[in-house]
């Protein structure tokens, strides 16, 4: 039996709720691996689309569980998963969950650095999600820790396989853990193609309450939501609750959007 908060409201009667959440393989700040706790955080927010990073599937360290499928089942959503890391039967990567009709468009690796072959592999996931009469392109990713690595990954996402693909037409949302602050080169590069959703709410600078990492004392704003023309943003908020502070080392970020006519640039 799931723990979803109830049947979603009809599309169009409220903003579409999107959540990006680095769950650290569901290992909380207390050291306990608890997918059901992550699911409770998600269910309380009643999102329509959830982007998860650092998800384990079949890994010994987390009991061999398919965390994407398990969390999806608990919150009443189907899941798409891409393993950035795949060693024998163990996988680790990103997932998209939704209760809306969806189809996977692409799931693939992103480049690292040739001179640093030992870096953690990174990837991205792109699904087309039907929202009423619209087809929303949703992409999620988890960038690397080094600046040069993040630049290479941003350039790849902007290229012909992802955002540059003719099928990736507006409206588009890109969300995830970019390991990049608002003054980083990778963030600025993505900002030339898409707009940080937070800017569309009138916020242009970091302020208290916008940081999502680390969850116990949030100092860095590295989990972002970017949107294209044709996407209006009603609200964006870091979910800073006692349960969220315990469930992972990142706090989830919730965006409420509407798909509508093209907007003026911020």
């Amino acid at each position: 039996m799931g723990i979803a908060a109830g049947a979603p409201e009809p599309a169009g009667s409220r903003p579409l709720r999107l959540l990006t959440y680095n769950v650290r393989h569901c290992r909380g700040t207390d050291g306990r691996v608890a997918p059901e706790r992550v699911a409770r955080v998600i269910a309380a927010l009643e999102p329509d689309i959830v982007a998860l990073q650092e998800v384990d599937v079949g890994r010994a360290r987390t009991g061999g569980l398919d965390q994407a499928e398990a969390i999806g089942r608990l919150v009443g959503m189907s899941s798409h998963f891409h393993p950035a890391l795949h060693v024998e039967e163990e996988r680790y990567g990103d997932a998209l969950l939704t209760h809306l009709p969806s189809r996977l468009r692409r799931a693939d690796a992103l480049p690292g650095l040739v001179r640093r072959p030992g870096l953690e592999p990174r990837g991205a996931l792109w699904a087309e999600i039907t929202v009423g009469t619209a087809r929303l392109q949703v992409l999620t990713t988890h960038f690397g820790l080094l600046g040069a690595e993040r630049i290479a990954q941003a350039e790849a996402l902007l290229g012909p396989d992802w955002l540059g693909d003719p099928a990736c037409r507006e409206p588009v949302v890109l969300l995830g853990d970019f390991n990049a602050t608002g003054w980083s080169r990778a963030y600025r590069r993505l900002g030339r193609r898409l707009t940080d959703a937070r800017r569309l709410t009138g916020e242009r600078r970091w302020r208290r309450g916008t940081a999502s990492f680390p969850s116990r004392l949030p100092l860095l704003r590295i989990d972002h939501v970017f949107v294209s023309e044709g996407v209006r943003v009603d609200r964006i908020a870091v979910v800073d609750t006692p349960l969220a502070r315990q469930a992972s080392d990142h706090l989830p970020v919730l965006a409420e959007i509407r798909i509508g006519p093209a907007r003026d640039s911020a």
Side-chain angles (χ1 to χ4, degrees):
M1 183 174 181
I3 58 174
E9 299 171 49
S13 65
R14 62 165 173 80
L16 192 71
R17 296 189 182 110
L18 295 90
L19 192 72
T20 183
Y21 195 5
N22 183 324
V23 298
R24 192 175 65 162
H25 58 272
C26 300
R27 186 176 299 277
T29 53
D30 57 359
R32 186 165 65 92
V33 175
E36 68 281 0
R37 181 167 55 188
V38 168
R40 288 201 304 273
V41 173
I42 294 170
L45 301 168
E46 300 185 343
D48 301 290
I49 301 166
V50 181
L52 300 178
Q53 302 87 43
E54 297 195 20
V55 178
D56 273 6
V57 172
R59 301 199 73 181
R61 69 179 182 181
T62 45
L65 185 69
D66 183 333
Q67 292 186 337
E69 188 279 332
I71 294 170
R73 174 171 38 81
L74 287 168
V75 300
M77 294 182 168
S78 60
S79 63
H80 300 287
F81 172 74
H82 173 253
L85 174 67
H86 196 166
V87 180
E88 295 182 350
E89 297 304 314
E90 296 199 5
R91 295 178 288 165
Y92 165 83
D94 309 310
L96 280 171
L97 313 179
T98 186
H99 63 77
L100 297 167
S102 67
R103 66 168 174 147
L104 184 65
R105 296 301 304 249
R106 187 174 181 85
D108 209 344
L110 292 179
L113 296 178
V114 174
R115 65 181 184 276
R116 297 287 299 274
L119 293 174
E120 180 181 313
R122 305 288 174 167
L125 189 64
W126 164 20
E128 182 177 276
I129 299 177
T130 301
V131 184
T133 60
R135 293 181 179 180
L136 179 66
Q137 311 304 319
V138 179
L139 297 86
T140 188
T141 189
H142 182 195
F143 278 4
L145 298 176
L146 301 181
E149 184 186 10
R150 292 192 296 269
I151 286 290
Q153 289 154 5
E155 293 292 350
L157 273 185
L158 291 163
D161 291 335
W162 300 96
L163 292 166
D165 187 321
C168 194
R169 52 188 174 272
E170 298 171 355
V172 176
V173 175
L174 168 66
L175 70 173
D177 175 3
F178 295 86
N179 275 313
T181 60
W183 53 86
S184 68
R185 291 175 60 203
Y187 172 94
R188 294 199 306 270
R189 183 69 187 88
L190 291 171
R192 295 176 197 159
R193 168 68 173 78
L194 300 170
T195 302
D196 185 338
R198 192 170 291 281
R199 292 176 61 88
L200 299 179
T201 66
E203 294 180 12
R204 295 181 180 266
R205 296 183 180 180
W206 182 95
R207 65 171 178 78
R208 187 176 180 84
T210 64
S212 55
F213 179 82
S215 58
R216 283 184 168 175
L217 184 63
L219 296 172
L220 297 176
R221 189 166 80 86
I222 57 177
D223 300 282
H224 302 291
V225 179
F226 294 93
V227 300
S228 72
E229 294 285 339
V231 177
R232 293 173 291 163
V233 180
D234 283 6
R235 182 171 76 102
I236 187 162
V238 173
V239 181
D240 191 354
T241 64
L243 185 61
R245 284 194 172 216
Q246 190 178 55
S248 174
D249 63 341
H250 284 244
L251 295 172
V253 177
L254 177 70
E256 295 185 349
I257 70 169
R258 296 181 191 269
I259 300 171
R263 54 172 168 74
D264 294 333
S265 300

